[in-house]
Amino acid sequence: MGPFTISLILISITAVLLVWRYLQNNFTYWRKRGVPYVPFWESFLLSSTAMKKINIFEFFEVFYKALDGHRFGGAFQLVYPIIIIRDPELIKTVFIKAFSNFYDRNPPQDEKGDVFNRTQIFQLTGEKWRTVRHKLSPAFSSAKLKIMYQTLSGCAEDLNAHLQTLCSETGQTEIDVKELMSDYTMDVIGAIALGIKCNSIKGENSEFKQIVRATFKFDQRRTIFATLEVIHPKLPRLLGLTSQLPEEEEYLLGITREAIEMRTDSESSSRRDFLQMLMNLRSQELQQRNENPSGEPDEPVFSEDILVGAIGSFLSAGLEPVAATLTFCLYELALHPDIQEKIYLEIKETKGQTLNDISYEDLKKLRYTEQVMNETLRKYPVAGIMARICTEPFKIPDSDVVVEKGMRVFVPLFSIQRDPQYFPEPDRFDPERFSEENIQKIVPGTYLPFGDGPRSCIGKTLNSSSPSSFLLLLLHLLLLLFLSLFSLLLPLLYW
Ligand code: HEM
């Protein structure tokens, strides 16, 4: 055996020992700190079967149940220790009081990664996130969204016409509600975000629809991408994997840039979509800079990246959550005709006999319909797992445990919102949980469909007594849908 072979063997043995030591350190991480935990092998076996047999919410449900009786506990994601927070008060602490220790959701993104992935607010970290969120928040206020909702009536008319055709011409009584809600949401989000008429309800399979659906679908390639990202944010790119196919990214960037260019003329300032809101904010900012050059703000003016990221956020965060929530809501209503009737009567009472032209202000009067939407978001939270990264070491109150910088923190919201301790008979769909007298009984930190604290959903209203602007969006969409359905079906039942 030559010296080269001997060196190679020694290097290999050293590498194996170092890896083994690293893994040993990780596997014994929680035991050494005296924290209750789900052992590595259980977490590992679970995650390998999880990919096929159970969804991610159910996967975390196993952790949640295994840590029953504890405020928090450890588990593993791949080979990395993670912490699961179960206690509502501790959740509020992490999201709000100790926000400066937990302000990121992911490690910093790969600066050379795909534009749509790295510019979305959801993914941004540190100062960059703070600047972008601060800039974009005004565009998501209830007042601004109210202006955008005026573009919705066109989508509702298409929906109405589509349902009329289905029922009267073909006599069809079965509708694929999930597909219908996806098309409806695509039309709505396309109109609100970019002022694009997608005509999905009318059956057009536009390029926009195909590409947007493909881009934001969580398929096998994206699962691999996300898994590699957990190991290191740069790893997918080093292995030649992108979260979007280059042609998808090119198309989306192209239409966003084109739309931005088209909006630079003064005529377009009367448009009522989200992109126009952003363009108006950008003009205001530029004007302020011109008028007061010495007091120039430190933060950059809305760059193209910020605009692209904002549109990307609207498409990715807007489509699936809204379509899924509406679908689950209709599913529960199909099972509960009594609840349907109550909604119908409430709408009728609000508007008298006509059932037409319900205004944005009327939405806030629909207390029972809002309860139904809240109960849908309890039983079917779209973000059933919420994540944070520890950005500064944090000592968990009333314990000796210190969460170290870089540790991933998970809140299994799906399990908490279905825990009988907080919501008795959790599988029962019961909008009365959110009635005026019962809502006070909900333990703070156990019902968070829009997240909590400065990093919560950008459409969540911080004032807890008024509904989130996206809850109002959901109500609006549901209402328009009901008006279509009622105008077709309910006269037969109730008039
Ligand atoms: C059914 C409707 C929706 C629900 C239930 C929902 C829920 C959520 C949740 C739970 C989060 C994470 C919060 C946290 O980590 O504390 C989130 C974040 C976010 N959502 Fe929504 N969302 C909805 C609709 C939308 C829509 C239509 C948009 C359109 C832009 C949107 C934009 C965002 C953004 C940008 C973030 C990231 C905020 C940040 O990191 O600063 N969401 N949403």
Side-chain angles (χ1 to χ4, degrees):
M1 208 184 294
F4 177 73
T5 319
I6 294 174
S7 310
L8 201 67
I9 292 173
L10 285 176
I11 291 171
S12 308
I13 292 174
T14 315
V16 169
L17 286 176
L18 283 175
V19 171
W20 179 245
R21 196 181 150 75
Y22 170 76
L23 292 179
Q24 267 303 97
N25 268 340
N26 282 5
F27 300 161
T28 53
Y29 186 91
W30 293 119
R31 184 160 51 81
K32 281 195 270 182
R33 284 161 180 78
V35 172
Y37 69 102
V38 184
F40 168 73
W41 291 113
E42 277 180 42
S43 304
F44 181 75
L45 285 178
L46 197 64
S47 55
S48 55
T49 53
M51 296 298 170
K52 289 204 173 78
K53 301 221 166 101
I54 53 177
N55 69 39
I56 183 91
F57 299 172
E58 290 164 324
F59 171 53
F60 272 85
E61 173 105 334
V62 179
F63 291 161
Y64 185 76
K65 288 195 169 144
L67 297 169
D68 191 15
H70 300 285
R71 292 192 300 143
F72 61 92
F76 296 88
Q77 186 186 32
L78 302 179
V79 295
Y80 309 108
I82 56 170
I83 188 160
I84 313 279
I85 309 284
R86 297 178 90 262
D87 175 58
E89 208 179 311
L90 190 53
I91 294 171
K92 297 283 277 179
T93 304
V94 167
F95 283 174
I96 305 172
K97 267 196 248 159
F99 179 70
S100 55
N101 303 64
F102 298 98
Y103 54 76
D104 285 343
R105 192 175 281 119
N106 303 298
Q109 290 290 301
D110 177 12
E111 280 300 313
K112 294 186 184 147
D114 335 14
V115 182
F116 265 91
N117 198 41
R118 71 178 155 77
T119 53
Q120 282 180 39
I121 321 167
F122 206 85
Q123 311 280 17
L124 295 181
T125 54
E127 263 316 299
K128 190 150 193 195
W129 165 76
R130 206 181 291 276
T131 312
V132 174
R133 172 106 190 192
H134 173 70
K135 293 257 180 243
L136 292 184
S137 292
F140 286 94
S141 68
S142 294
K144 290 280 190 314
L145 288 170
K146 179 179 163 179
I147 299 173
M148 290 180 228
Y149 295 163
Q150 293 171 12
T151 59
L152 295 186
S153 53
C155 305
E157 277 160 22
D158 290 347
L159 178 71
N160 204 340
H162 176 68
L163 290 173
Q164 294 273 5
T165 316
L166 278 184
C167 295
S168 61
E169 276 178 19
T170 65
Q172 196 169 340
T173 50
E174 277 184 24
I175 296 173
D176 182 337
V177 172
K178 187 166 179 283
E179 195 57 29
L180 182 72
M181 288 306 98
S182 287
D183 285 340
Y184 180 39
T185 313
M186 180 70 69
D187 285 356
V188 164
I189 298 289
I192 301 187
L194 288 163
I196 290 181
K197 197 150 173 51
C198 305
N199 290 333
S200 307
I201 286 282
K202 286 185 176 165
E204 262 181 40
N205 201 11
S206 65
E207 203 179 0
F208 179 78
K209 171 175 156 180
Q210 286 173 39
I211 293 196
V212 169
R213 273 202 183 167
T215 304
F216 300 113
K217 195 171 162 195
F218 206 74
D219 54 13
Q220 208 175 13
R221 199 167 57 83
R222 282 187 186 90
T223 312
I224 298 173
F225 182 92
T227 311
L228 295 175
E229 252 193 336
V230 171
I231 300 172
H232 196 284
K234 288 189 180 156
L235 191 56
R237 183 170 53 84
L238 294 176
L239 295 175
L241 194 72
T242 50
S243 99
Q244 262 105 44
L245 292 173
E247 56 271 24
E248 292 168 0
E249 178 171 301
E250 235 167 76
Y251 175 84
L252 287 174
L253 280 176
I255 52 161
T256 310
R257 285 183 181 139
E258 216 174 278
I260 294 172
E261 269 168 33
M262 276 166 53
R263 307 301 172 89
T264 38
D265 59 75
S266 55
E267 267 175 43
S268 60
S269 61
S270 57
R271 295 181 68 133
R272 296 176 180 283
D273 51 63
F274 178 65
L275 179 60
Q276 194 55 49
M277 298 289 159
L278 297 180
M279 299 293 287
N280 295 348
L281 288 171
R282 173 158 120 154
S283 309
Q284 281 167 19
E285 201 179 14
L286 279 172
Q287 202 180 341
Q288 275 166 13
R289 280 189 162 209
N290 288 341
E291 284 168 5
N292 186 14
S294 56
E296 209 168 284
D298 304 333
E299 296 160 8
V301 176
F302 278 96
S303 62
E304 188 180 87
D305 257 16
I306 292 188
L307 294 181
V308 166
I311 294 294
S313 302
F314 212 115
L315 297 177
S316 70
L319 286 170
E320 194 46 36
V322 174
T325 307
L326 291 173
T327 305
F328 282 124
C329 184
L330 290 186
Y331 168 70
E332 287 291 349
L333 290 178
L335 299 177
H336 297 95
D338 52 325
I339 300 180
Q340 282 178 45
E341 188 173 345
K342 276 190 177 176
I343 294 182
Y344 167 73
L345 292 174
E346 181 174 70
I347 298 174
K348 202 170 158 200
E349 203 175 291
T350 311
K351 271 325 263 190
Q353 290 292 321
T354 61
L355 284 185
N356 282 328
D357 301 329
I358 294 217
S359 72
Y360 188 83
E361 276 64 37
D362 290 331
L363 287 181
K364 295 182 193 160
K365 296 186 207 147
L366 300 173
R367 278 289 306 138
Y368 184 74
T369 315
E370 190 184 320
Q371 284 173 223
V372 171
M373 202 38 92
N374 280 328
E375 175 67 346
T376 308
L377 289 166
R378 177 199 68 83
K379 199 170 166 193
Y380 308 97
V382 287
I385 312 292
M386 282 191 280
R388 295 289 186 271
I389 292 256
C390 178
T391 40
E392 282 301 325
F394 174 74
K395 183 178 166 302
I396 297 185
D398 306 321
S399 84
D400 297 327
V401 178
V402 174
V403 183
E404 288 183 295
K405 189 171 171 173
M407 170 72 64
R408 283 165 198 265
V409 181
F410 290 94
V411 172
L413 189 74
F414 175 84
S415 309
I416 295 171
Q417 291 191 172
R418 286 177 177 234
D419 186 335
Q421 188 189 344
Y422 305 122
F423 297 96
E425 294 184 74
D427 292 333
R428 195 156 64 86
F429 186 82
D430 179 12
E432 292 309 322
R433 298 179 204 271
F434 294 90
S435 69
E436 224 161 297
E437 51 180 307
N438 290 337
I439 202 164
Q440 311 301 337
K441 296 182 203 153
I442 296 178
V443 178
T446 59
Y447 178 70
L448 303 172
F450 293 96
D452 214 348
R455 192 100 214 209
S456 59
C457 183
I458 202 159
K460 181 179 191 283
T461 318
L462 290 177
N463 167 9
S464 60
S465 63
S466 56
S468 133
S469 48
F470 289 153
L471 186 63
L472 287 177
L473 170 68
L474 287 171
L475 273 180
H476 207 121
L477 297 182
L478 189 68
L479 199 75
L480 293 172
L481 189 64
F482 280 153
L483 292 178
S484 298
L485 292 172
F486 289 155
S487 67
L488 283 170
L489 312 171
L490 289 181
L492 304 175
L493 299 174
Y494 300 112
W495 276 324

